[in-house]
Amino acid sequence: AALHRLARLGKPILLLSNSGKRAAQNEHRLSNLGFDRRDYLGVMSSGEAAFSALSRRIGQEIPMGAKVWTHSRDADRSATQGLNLTAVETPDDADLLLLAGSQGDQHTMADYVTLLAKAAARQVPMICTNPDLEMLTPQGICFGAGAIAARYAQMGGPVDYIGKPYPLIYTEA
């Protein structure tokens, strides 16, 4: 209701989200929750900001066709779809890690440490597109992607965060 009232006052509204999914998926979710799409200009999600940043960096800092491992909820790979990157199934095979979400309701932090150990030792860069430390699941509060990324950094792996409160999402917005 507050969003609707602000929109009727002519206030331009752009919603920012730490979702690792692209904007269109988040707009669809908001519509399913009852938000009127006419009440806001759009959504700038962490996944959308990452897609934009990656598209600029490929061929510059990131080699064309670089091997990327994406970890998310719902097997979402939208932040890299359509980009000149090669998807791989394990972090051990990757040149770049994209951490778009946590499966902390299905795996322990120790599982993630084991999964990411070789990549951290090789200094494979990680982009974390959801820096939230916790997430709400049907099972309760679990650790979020931000907690996994922080642990990866403690293991010696380089991490770049995209999402609130980090600057890139605001620049993209």
Side-chain angles (χ1 to χ4, degrees), residues 9 14 30-31 33 38 64 87 98 106 117 120 122 128 143-144 173:
L9 291 172
L14 181 67
L30 289 169
S31 292
L33 291 171
R38 296 169 293 186
M64 289 188 197
L98 182 72
Q106 301 168 40
R122 290 190 301 118
C128 178
F143 60 87

Side-chain angles (χ1 to χ4, degrees), residues 62-120:
I62 300 171
M64 289 188 197
K67 296 181 282 185
V68 62
W69 174 75
T70 302
H71 185 71
S72 63
R73 295 189 69 77
D74 309 320
D76 176 67
R77 293 186 178 191
S78 62
T80 58
Q81 277 181 322
L83 297 176
N84 189 350
L85 296 168
T86 304
V88 296
E89 296 302 316
T90 69
D92 294 350
D93 298 326
D95 303 316
L96 175 66
L97 309 175
L98 182 72
L99 183 59
S102 166
Q103 294 177 10
D105 52 344
Q106 301 168 40
H107 303 286
T108 67
M109 186 60 78
D111 293 336
Y112 280 106
V113 168
T114 300
L115 178 67
L116 297 169
K118 289 180 184 174

Side-chain angles (χ1 to χ4, degrees), residues 130-135 142-148 150:
N130 186 333
D132 295 340
L133 298 175
E134 296 180 330
M135 65 177 185
C142 294
F143 60 87
I148 299 167

Side-chain angles (χ1 to χ4, degrees), residues 29-63:
R29 182 173 180 224
L30 289 169
S31 292
N32 287 342
L33 291 171
F35 287 85
D36 187 334
R37 181 58 186 87
R38 296 169 293 186
D39 287 346
Y40 58 93
L41 298 172
V43 172
M44 175 51 67
S45 66
S46 299
E48 193 69 36
F51 179 86
S52 181
L54 284 169
S55 67
R56 288 190 305 271
R57 292 173 61 190
I58 294 171
Q60 306 291 320
E61 308 149 43
I62 300 171

